[in-house]
Amino acid sequence: MKVRLGEYYTGWAQNDALKEAGKEAVKERAMEILEENRAQLASAQELLWASNIYSVLIILQGMDTAGKDGTIKHVMSGVNPQGCKVHSFRVPTDEELDHTFLWRYWRALPNRGEIGIFNRSYYEDVLVVKVHPERLVNLPPGKRGKKFWNARYEDINAFERHLIRNGTVILKFYLHISEDEQKKRLLDRLEDAEKLWKFSLSDLEERKFWGTYQEAYEDALTMTSTEEAPWYIIPADHKWVARTLIADIITTRIQSLDLAYPTVSGEAIAQLKDARRQLEEE
Ligand code: AMP
Ligand code: MG
């Protein structure tokens, strides 16, 4: 089924029950849930690390100002930095452009036991690059039409299937903001001396392609949402909504792996007892 982003909510009151409760009450409860999840995520990650079977790949996509950086900061704040790596992807370098489009992401994948966060990802190669096809360079000649992009979605699906079959859990979040909210956030950046550094003239340029981006997102979400790695479309006009939902989905998913700390065998226990005896006798 084709994803139509216009049909997805960006605000906080997705249903009547929430509306009735009122914004302040919903926000308060959301903050509590976020706090609970942060603590649970920290222990889930310890277990992930100790059991060393799965890795978790979290993909964050969204228009400029959608809140990708803030989400990482707030959701992952309780997690042991040793087991968690963040990669932010910018315009590809010449070296990266001299490889297939998946190369740089492949190299950045989390190790077993780790949580890896991709702040932007290989999806940019069917988003910003689809909006600006002149960025496709060093490729064999051919039309850059529907067939070309379908091949990229297919490559992405195959890549993800390979990762999943080998123990990577993939969680993909699209932070869905409205065009109005982006305007507000861009203006905020211009008005606040401490946020000014975040403003980039290119954000304003890209905003002019809002509609084309939404279409590219709709195609990407439609074509790459699979049973094993579905897209979550996250209402993101309110940062607390996005953060709470994302924290909850990540925590629940890792907990569902039903991991246990490695057990120690009889022989190893004897060795540990011996080690203890040696230390005590020193
Ligand atoms: P920021 O997230 O604000 O640091 O901006 C990163 C910039 O890099 C954005 O303008 C993205 O559109 C751009 N970018 C990220 N990945 C790619 C890619 N694969 N191809 C072209 N541009 C990219
Ligand atoms: Mg930016």
Side-chain angles (χ1 to χ4, degrees):
M1 210 176 61
K2 169 104 183 169
V3 172
R4 305 239 175 250
L5 284 174
E7 291 167 9
Y8 287 82
Y9 213 66
T10 58
W12 63 272
Q14 287 241 30
N15 56 43
D16 289 343
L18 290 175
K19 234 176 272 171
E20 233 163 77
K23 188 172 173 185
E24 279 319 302
V26 174
K27 182 170 180 182
E28 201 172 303
R29 183 68 192 117
M31 299 311 278
E32 281 168 18
I33 295 173
L34 178 59
E35 208 43 62
E36 286 160 21
N37 272 311
R38 247 188 239 154
Q40 286 186 36
L41 187 57
S43 42
Q45 187 258 342
E46 294 282 346
L47 205 49
L48 188 75
W49 176 262
S51 50
N52 200 40
I53 296 171
Y54 297 100
S55 55
V56 177
L57 174 62
I58 297 168
I59 290 180
L60 293 176
Q61 285 292 156
M63 300 293 285
D64 291 315
T65 77
K68 301 185 286 291
D69 302 80
T71 298
I72 295 169
K73 186 166 132 187
H74 284 85
V75 172
M76 305 310 288
S77 61
V79 166
N80 182 348
Q82 272 217 73
C84 176
K85 290 202 183 82
V86 183
H87 286 271
S88 298
F89 295 98
R90 307 216 149 77
V91 177
T93 63
D94 286 345
E95 190 194 17
E96 287 166 348
L97 288 172
D98 275 341
H99 293 82
T100 83
F101 80 95
L102 289 172
W103 182 71
R104 65 172 179 163
Y105 310 100
W106 175 260
R107 289 169 17 120
L109 289 171
N111 295 344
R112 244 179 254 289
E114 286 179 354
I115 298 178
I117 301 175
F118 281 2
N119 183 354
R120 302 185 189 273
S121 65
Y122 40 87
Y123 285 99
E124 290 295 330
D125 296 83
V126 292
L127 294 164
V128 62
V129 182
K130 194 178 183 193
V131 174
H132 302 286
E134 67 278 9
R135 303 231 183 139
L136 286 166
V137 292
N138 306 357
L139 286 178
K143 278 205 211 114
R144 311 305 183 202
K146 202 168 171 174
K147 220 169 142 188
F148 176 87
W149 297 109
N150 279 344
R152 282 208 164 186
Y153 303 133
E154 213 180 281
D155 285 348
I156 288 175
N157 288 340
F159 176 64
E160 291 188 347
R161 193 167 57 232
H162 170 70
L163 297 180
I164 293 162
R165 281 178 176 163
N166 287 277
T168 306
V169 172
I170 304 179
L171 293 168
K172 309 189 287 202
F173 299 104
Y174 167 62
L175 279 73
H176 187 32
I177 56 166
S178 65
E179 203 175 355
D180 279 353
E181 181 61 24
Q182 190 193 51
K183 181 176 172 181
K184 241 192 257 164
R185 290 185 187 182
L186 287 174
L187 282 171
D188 260 7
R189 288 183 179 181
L190 288 172
E191 280 158 17
D192 184 339
E194 283 178 11
K195 286 185 186 163
L196 207 52
W197 64 275
K198 279 193 181 179
F199 186 86
S200 146
L201 279 177
S202 75
D203 293 349
L204 197 61
E205 263 329 289
E206 291 315 295
R207 181 174 163 78
K208 294 176 185 154
F209 296 93
W210 183 275
T212 321
Y213 268 104
Q214 295 290 293
E215 280 168 27
Y217 264 109
E218 287 180 343
D219 288 341
L221 298 174
T222 305
M223 300 299 285
T224 63
S225 216
T226 58
E227 205 178 312
E228 321 87 71
W231 273 101
Y232 294 95
I233 299 174
I234 302 291
D237 276 355
H238 299 276
K239 291 171 180 172
W240 52 271
V241 174
R243 290 168 189 172
T244 301
L245 290 174
I246 290 175
D248 197 54
I249 293 167
I250 298 172
T251 310
T252 308
R253 184 69 183 92
I254 299 179
Q255 285 172 344
S256 78
L257 294 172
D258 241 344
L259 297 172
Y261 281 100
T263 48
V264 181
S265 71
E267 197 187 339
I269 290 175
Q271 283 170 349
L272 293 175
K273 274 194 184 143
D274 188 50
R276 182 166 161 186
R277 188 184 48 78
Q278 287 186 44
L279 283 169
E280 281 168 355
E281 281 174 6
E282 259 181 20

